[in-house]
Amino acid sequence: MAAMQSESAGAHEALMQFLYRAPIGLLQTTLDGTIEMINPMSASLLMPLSRNGDLDNLFTALEEVAPHLRQLVVGYEPSNGAVCDSLRIVVPARGESAAAAQILSISLMKLDELRLMGLVSDVTLEVQREESGLARRLDAAARTDTLTKMPTRPVVRDRIQRAIERARVEPNYDFAVLFMNCDRFKQINDSLGHLAGDEVLGLMANRLRAALRRRNRGDRTADNEAMAGRLGGDEFVVLLDNLQAAEEVHAVAQRLLDVLSQPYSVLGQQLHFTASMGVVLRDHVTGDADAALQDSSIAMVEAKRAGGARYVVFEPSMHERAARRGGIESDLRRALLNHELFVVYQPIVALQIPEGADCPPSHAAGVEALVRWRHPTRGVVPPLEFIGIAEKCGLIGPIGEFVLSAACHQFTVWRRELGRLAPRLLAVNLSRGQLGDSSFVEIVERILRSSGMQPSDLQLEVTESLAAQDESVQARLQQLKALGLSLALDDFGTGYSSLASLHQLPVGTVKIDRSFVSEAVSSAHHHVLIEATVRVARSLGMGTVAEGIETQAQADLVTQLGCEKGQGYLFSRPLSAADLVLWLARNDAPKAS
Ligand code: C2E
Ligand code: CA
Ligand code: CA
């Protein structure tokens, strides 16, 4: 009996030791949290939470970090079961300690109507591991572009950097960076929507990969084959590694441009467009990967400026031109404040004599307002050099507003002072950046009111890609028309919507682009196109203006083809407001002279 007793005492002692040493916190409390039993691990994990240094009640100890625990128990109705499972609580680091917060996991189990059993463990390391795993996954995601499954900028940069470093120690190692950008991507996005744009990007990526795969076959290892990545938007970069011969760059560059310019079939449509490329050769790489990427993009811009659909090899002299363009942006910010912008006016003349009249009512059927920039050191900068930049850097809003306001005020002054001689219609160019602004309609309304301009005397010129844009732009164009003004389609023929879709555009006038007018006399094709445009426009009740008339032969031809109005250097170059008044006086009743 004594032996049995001592045997059971031994077992009891062993059980106590087991619970005592368990590397996990165990405790038992009453339902109101009073701690009845607690093992050393529990005590050491929970003690830092106790404010007065004792551990009488679990809920009191956890009051600050898990105030809802008490409620959780009260609200738990079954007579037994898990009240909470692996609840994570953060124990803030106290005092000066630089250690990170500790994270505890607590599970509470209702044993019966009187008692709870608790399990406490330190999960700080586990949480840290989870977090670093998440960080790794996020990092991996950041290294692959979701849309094209191509490596992203950081990866491209790393690879270029490695190539640069290798070239420093291996004189025979050769590489090149090819930077590509599609020539009309913005237009595709604007007119067909972002989904179509995304699809095009995916197709471009596939083609680049396929073209490079062909090159990579052979005796290359994974680490030295060409890689293609996407930097963002429609910008792609290829690193040609381990070049065998200098001519290889030219062959690959041309092949990539060729595959990119094959037609794309997207949303049931065949899209045709080309790409431009800038190439940086090893010998011109003087800085790091970022500098090489920047230089390749500078060469790409040169390729675009030369007409696109080509590659241009970077040369250091290109830096100067790029700096000039960059300088324009910062100067443009000051230009408005310094009153460096001004507006000139190009007459638009009536070509057809109205039936029953001897001569046109006024030679100036209208004027088109064109912005100019008198730069303090560069002289007069043409709009084509800064409108695009203004759109990119968000300055087009204020610039467009300035032009509209100046032109409307000038127009009402002419009306007041010149009477019969004054131009009938004021045309002002609109840019896509302005239509994106939700307050634009209000701005126009305010300018009409403050200048006293009749809305019907104002015509806003939009391009095809703008007029055919998404619903929000369409709605805004309708709101503008509701103000009583009219819209004209600028540069017709240069975009890619056709005569057949003219009726879908909310415009009252079609301006036939200068490229058609200048070819019309010598090219039957252009001649026929103008004729067809005039006919379709007329059938839709739209007016027509032939742009860029430079010779009498062109004027005679477009008049004979039925164009209603004409504009061009033959009649007048764009003039200052004062010179326009002289021009109007000189050209009054020209048939009478
Ligand atoms: P656009 O709207 O097509 O304007 C007509 C352009 O053709 C003007 O160039 C005009 O000077 C030029 N031009 C007119 N007749 C002839 C001709 O017989 N021969 C030749 N070779 N050219 C002729 P400009 O003023 O340099 O403007 C270029 C473009 O810049 C404009 O093309 C328009 O798209 C844009 N632009 C000008 N002013 C503004 C503005 O205030 N706002 C916006 N958003 N764009 C503007
Ligand atoms: Ca225009
Ligand atoms: Ca035009």
Side-chain angles (χ1 to χ4, degrees), residues 401-440:
E401 190 175 336
F402 160 78
V403 173
L404 186 64
S405 172
C408 286
H409 281 91
Q410 182 60 63
F411 187 87
T412 49
V413 170
W414 285 327
R415 267 296 164 84
R416 233 184 5 257
E417 294 180 351
L418 303 179
R420 182 186 66 85
L421 267 186
R424 302 289 149 118
L425 190 73
L426 172 67
V428 179
N429 292 287
L430 255 198
S431 162
R432 83 179 65 237
Q434 292 171 272
L435 272 187
D437 179 354
S438 58
S439 59
F440 182 65

Side-chain angles (χ1 to χ4, degrees), residues 6 9 71 119 123 141 149 167 186 298 308 389 413 459 496 589:
S6 89
Q71 263 329 102
L119 216 71
V123 291
K149 304 283 177 289
K186 208 168 162 206
I298 286 176
I389 295 175
V413 170
Q459 185 162 73
Y496 62 111

Side-chain angles (χ1 to χ4, degrees), residues 346 368 371-372 383 403 429 431 490-491 514 548 550 568-569 574:
Q346 185 175 33
E368 176 173 0
V371 68
R372 293 290 178 268
V403 173
N429 292 287
S431 162
D490 207 353
D491 306 338
R514 179 163 68 89
E550 293 181 348
Y569 293 171

Side-chain angles (χ1 to χ4, degrees), residues 119-170:
L119 216 71
V120 188
S121 56
D122 181 347
V123 291
T124 312
L125 280 179
E126 189 183 323
V127 169
Q128 276 170 359
R129 265 197 303 275
E130 276 170 25
E131 280 174 357
S132 67
L134 185 67
R136 263 199 311 279
R137 282 209 301 284
L138 282 175
D139 188 50
R143 293 175 74 82
T144 307
D145 175 45
T146 13
L147 182 65
T148 60
K149 304 283 177 289
M150 274 189 164
T152 53
R153 183 186 286 269
V155 185
V156 172
R157 204 205 273 128
D158 280 357
R159 281 287 301 270
I160 296 178
Q161 192 61 40
R162 266 192 278 155
I164 293 174
E165 274 150 27
R166 193 172 153 199
R168 287 206 186 107
V169 291
E170 278 180 50

Side-chain angles (χ1 to χ4, degrees), residues 368-370 427-430 461-463 489-491 511 547 567:
E368 176 173 0
L370 295 160
V428 179
N429 292 287
L430 255 198
E461 298 192 355
V462 295
T463 54
L489 188 59
D490 207 353
D491 306 338
K511 297 188 78 171
E547 293 189 300
Q567 178 179 1

Side-chain angles (χ1 to χ4, degrees), residues 51-72:
R51 258 184 286 178
N52 49 10
D54 55 39
L55 269 179
D56 296 336
N57 187 295
L58 178 66
F59 300 148
T60 313
L62 296 179
E63 194 67 65
E64 242 176 85
V65 289
H68 55 299
L69 211 56
R70 198 187 298 268
Q71 263 329 102
L72 220 56

